[in-house]
Amino acid sequence: MNKTDKIMDIAAKRGFFYPSAEIYGSKAGFWTYGHLGTRIKHKWQNLWREFFLGLNNNFFEVEDCNILPKQVFVGSGHLENFNDPLTECNKCHFRFRADDLIEDALDINAEGIDEEAMTKLIEDNMLLCPKCQSKLLPVRMFNMMFDLKVGATGDDVMYLRPETAQAPFLAFKREFNALRKKIPMGLAVIGKAFRNEISPRQGFFRLREFSQAELQIFFDADKINEAEDWNSVKDYKLRLFTVKDRKTKKIQEVSCKDANTKLKIPKFYVYHLAKVQQFYLDALKVQKENFRFRELDAKERAFYNKIHFDVELNLETLKGFKEVAGVHYRTNHDLGGHQKCSKENLEVFVDEKRFVPHVLELSFGVDRNVWALLDIFYKEEKERALFTFPQNVAPIDVAVFPLVKKDNLPEKAQEIFKDLTKSFKTFYDESGSVGKRYRRQDEIGTIYCVTVDHDTLDKNTVTIRDRDSMKQIKVDVKELVNVLNKLICCELKFEKAGSLIK
Ligand code: ATP
């Protein structure tokens, strides 16, 4: 089995995720989060919230409907422009995403190439249907939004939102007034988005129903070269892969100061790049070699994005750097479009000026980030497979076992388990040998296992086993919560937390 299959196997068997409606055969691009996956997802989202809403005391979260009126997507431009290139087999009528097909066959980047040029590439290189080897029809554009007929007559067409970002634009006027008319103002949404992807391959990475965590920061375009907290990041090194670096294929480490003065990226944008990078390297403990910002050129990025860097992580399962988030300078495209379409005035009056605010968007795909965590933290050792998740995303903190299922050990273990559940996400297991129970917990990334044995009854001590080193220490039950707390907060070294069992 390759690494993807191994992770998929653990994911389905242990309860991270599995295909939605599996008992009916399931549909590509739809997945169910199991009990462990839901925990990781929620922990990742909470970390994101804490980190990004903590950047400014004028950043808040809002929540909107998944189903929105057609006019919203006229205003945003999605109805006209939210398309992917599609080609169809002339014989079996299977449909493919033309850019993916070309990229796979010719090993080139097909992002931003128009339909005619793609058709020509297919013809010139005699690319055929990968399923039945027949001819492919000319490439055409396919709108990826799901439409719905709403109401009893079905006359009212509405759409499932293809991105969460529209919610802050629609809420902008009310929130700006409610929040005392100040900018920068940030409005975040964590919620579902829906895209009718033509070929949702790459397993859990390209979905038709997925979650996004997006922060729209409304600001004054005249102040784009200002950042309040600039001094704290000016010497911080960003890992950039700009359009120019594509020739050498090398990632540059550039200080924020140089990104601003030499690469001419505005301070407001650079500051937020630094924060996004810190989220991955410091909060999620991603190794810096596995992180980069990839710049998109004018052809590749959406027409309204003036500056666009994708966040890419190096994922072994996907054979290289893949997009998990994006930092988009969307200008005043969205508010401007909604103002025009709704006839509602969306200007603000700040600093003696009247203007439509510009927007910097930090846009993250939650599910892709969850997959990335599984890829990055999966390890194999001689006799075990494990996830070395950091505590802030590990689904279970502590597992509790009785050594054997007799001699009152299960009762004592239950007592300790109940006590620990007040402070930690805890799992109780008494089935199978202790060795097997350790392996099962390693396989889901549980950080510590506490074993209750005969010493617990005689001397009131338990054994704590560390997931990563497999070392074990003896600790007094009275001290257990305190010790685990300190270990989890990294305030104590494992070997120093109790008496080491040699
Ligand atoms: P891609 O180029 O991979 O199709 P995108 O550039 O269209 O993605 P955005 O519209 O910028 O993506 O969406 C922001 C984030 O949402 C992406 O960085 C990604 O993490 C996530 N995302 C987008 N489409 C999907 C999808 N079909 N399934 C899962 N996550 C997605």
Side-chain angles (χ1 to χ4, degrees):
M1 271 206 277
N2 63 23
K3 183 168 167 181
T4 306
D5 293 340
K6 284 176 189 165
I7 295 178
M8 282 293 194
D9 184 55
I10 296 174
K13 197 168 66 187
R14 297 275 178 240
F16 285 98
F17 49 76
Y18 28 84
S20 172
E22 212 177 356
I23 58 168
Y24 290 103
S26 69
K27 281 262 172 215
F30 296 96
W31 292 78
T32 299
Y33 276 92
H35 68 288
L36 297 173
T38 303
R39 277 284 298 170
I40 298 192
K41 184 180 180 198
H42 288 173
K43 281 184 104 169
W44 186 94
Q45 289 174 340
N46 286 338
L47 199 67
W48 186 92
R49 245 184 211 112
E50 206 179 296
F51 189 95
F52 289 102
L53 297 188
L55 293 182
N56 186 310
N57 58 19
N58 203 29
F59 287 2
F60 295 90
E61 187 175 350
V62 294
E63 193 178 310
D64 199 1
C65 298
N66 290 331
I67 302 173
L68 292 167
K70 183 175 176 181
Q71 281 310 103
V72 170
F73 302 108
V74 175
S76 70
H78 281 85
L79 216 54
E80 200 182 323
N81 298 309
F82 198 60
N83 303 318
D84 264 351
L86 174 145
T87 178
E88 187 175 332
C89 172
N90 198 13
K91 191 167 167 215
C92 73
H93 297 290
F94 205 87
R95 292 173 168 198
F96 303 91
R97 224 178 112 162
D99 51 347
D100 284 347
L101 191 118
I102 290 169
E103 282 180 7
D104 287 352
L106 307 180
D107 200 22
I108 57 166
N109 181 3
E111 214 166 354
I113 304 180
D114 69 23
E115 306 101 281
E116 277 168 31
M118 282 197 202
T119 304
K120 191 160 178 334
L121 275 172
I122 290 177
E123 284 170 3
D124 291 352
N125 292 284
M126 290 187 286
L127 303 186
L128 298 173
C129 167
K131 287 213 168 250
C132 74
Q133 305 304 315
S134 304
K135 264 193 89 175
L136 293 163
L137 293 169
V139 177
R140 63 188 165 90
M141 284 301 176
F142 171 78
N143 191 287
M144 289 199 290
M145 282 200 296
F146 287 101
D147 56 354
L148 298 168
K149 292 190 174 71
V150 176
T153 59
D155 291 342
D156 212 358
V157 176
M158 293 175 83
Y159 289 87
L160 284 170
R161 62 183 181 190
E163 57 173 10
T164 56
Q166 293 307 315
F169 304 134
L170 301 172
F172 173 73
K173 197 170 178 181
R174 284 213 179 267
E175 292 297 328
F176 179 71
N177 289 331
L179 288 168
R180 317 303 307 139
K181 304 188 177 178
K182 285 183 297 195
I183 53 170
M185 176 180 86
L187 295 179
V189 178
I190 298 182
K192 291 277 189 170
F194 305 82
R195 296 183 187 179
N196 196 2
E197 297 279 356
I198 298 167
S199 39
R201 32 179 223 165
Q202 300 172 319
F204 198 67
F205 209 71
R206 184 168 297 287
L207 313 177
R208 284 177 166 141
E209 174 173 343
F210 57 101
S211 294
Q212 289 184 314
E214 297 193 295
L215 173 64
Q216 311 298 320
I217 308 169
F218 300 88
F219 68 98
D220 176 354
D222 290 344
K223 296 192 176 168
I224 194 162
N225 213 20
E226 293 174 24
E228 212 181 296
D229 207 9
W230 179 250
N231 279 343
S232 69
V233 299
K234 71 180 191 323
D235 298 317
Y236 182 75
K237 294 252 167 71
L238 297 171
R239 289 180 54 79
L240 300 183
F241 188 65
T242 65
V243 172
K244 283 194 184 135
D245 301 321
R246 290 188 198 176
K247 265 200 197 123
T248 60
K249 296 193 172 154
K250 283 212 176 101
I251 297 165
Q252 327 173 40
E253 293 221 353
V254 185
S255 72
C256 286
K257 198 165 68 192
D258 287 348
N260 176 241
T261 54
K262 297 191 179 146
L263 303 181
K264 307 282 177 230
I265 313 175
K267 278 186 183 168
F268 195 68
Y269 190 96
V270 172
Y271 174 81
H272 289 95
L273 285 182
K275 292 296 148 188
V276 170
Q277 182 169 310
Q278 285 168 358
F279 176 66
Y280 280 96
L281 305 198
D282 303 343
L284 290 170
K285 312 276 182 249
V286 170
Q287 284 184 326
K288 76 172 187 181
E289 296 70 34
N290 290 331
F291 177 96
R292 74 178 187 190
F293 286 113
R294 177 175 175 272
E295 186 184 21
L296 271 69
D297 66 24
K299 262 191 178 169
E300 294 163 337
R301 56 185 191 241
F303 69 94
Y304 51 81
N305 277 340
K306 225 170 166 175
I307 313 174
H308 181 158
F309 279 83
D310 276 340
V311 175
E312 294 191 334
L313 299 181
N314 188 13
L315 303 177
E316 204 187 323
T317 52
L318 292 161
K319 302 189 175 55
F321 279 96
K322 289 286 172 253
E323 174 189 341
V324 293
V327 180
H328 312 137
Y329 171 29
R330 290 176 80 125
T331 67
N332 59 1
H333 164 78
D334 299 271
L335 286 185
H338 288 309
Q339 177 167 267
K340 200 166 149 212
C341 203
S342 66
K343 312 266 184 295
E344 190 71 44
N345 183 0
L346 297 177
E347 287 174 322
V348 298
F349 188 72
V350 177
D351 291 341
E352 309 296 313
K353 276 188 309 192
R354 196 171 289 288
F355 60 96
V356 176
H358 280 220
V359 166
L360 178 68
E361 172 185 69
L362 312 185
S363 171
F364 295 69
V366 179
D367 319 270
R368 283 193 189 179
N369 277 277
V370 169
W371 177 264
L373 293 176
L374 296 183
D375 178 299
I376 288 169
F377 293 111
Y378 179 78
K379 300 264 160 0
E380 271 177 15
E381 290 172 3
K382 231 194 317 179
E383 76 277 32
R384 63 177 187 157
L386 72 159
F387 288 108
T388 58
F389 298 127
Q391 188 280 332
N392 52 17
V393 291
I396 309 277
D397 300 314
V398 188
V400 180
F401 315 145
L403 181 67
V404 285
K405 241 163 112 181
K406 57 183 185 185
D407 304 338
N408 269 341
L409 294 185
E411 289 75 6
K412 186 68 190 168
Q414 275 287 345
E415 197 183 293
I416 291 172
F417 166 70
K418 282 194 186 123
D419 197 37
L420 292 183
T421 52
K422 292 179 208 147
S423 311
F424 310 102
K425 189 71 194 166
T426 315
F427 187 83
Y428 180 83
D429 192 3
E430 58 177 32
S431 61
S433 71
V434 164
K436 280 205 180 119
R437 282 180 262 164
Y438 282 145
R439 297 288 168 273
R440 280 205 291 268
Q441 294 307 314
D442 290 341
E443 213 176 51
I444 62 171
T446 303
I447 316 169
Y448 298 108
C449 292
V450 170
T451 306
V452 171
D453 56 21
H454 294 92
D455 276 354
T456 317
L457 305 179
D458 299 342
K459 301 183 201 154
N460 209 30
T461 59
V462 286
T463 304
I464 308 179
R465 178 216 187 235
D466 174 50
R467 175 194 65 199
D468 297 346
S469 66
M470 293 198 278
K471 286 183 179 161
Q472 300 188 4
I473 51 171
K474 284 265 179 198
V475 170
D476 199 297
V477 174
K478 287 199 281 296
E479 282 299 306
L480 187 58
V481 171
N482 187 24
V483 167
L484 285 170
N485 252 325
K486 286 191 173 154
L487 285 173
I488 281 171
C489 300
C490 302
E491 286 172 13
L492 199 56
K493 274 206 141 203
F494 187 75
E495 292 82 351
K496 300 263 162 68
S499 45
L500 197 63
I501 303 174
K502 299 254 160 90

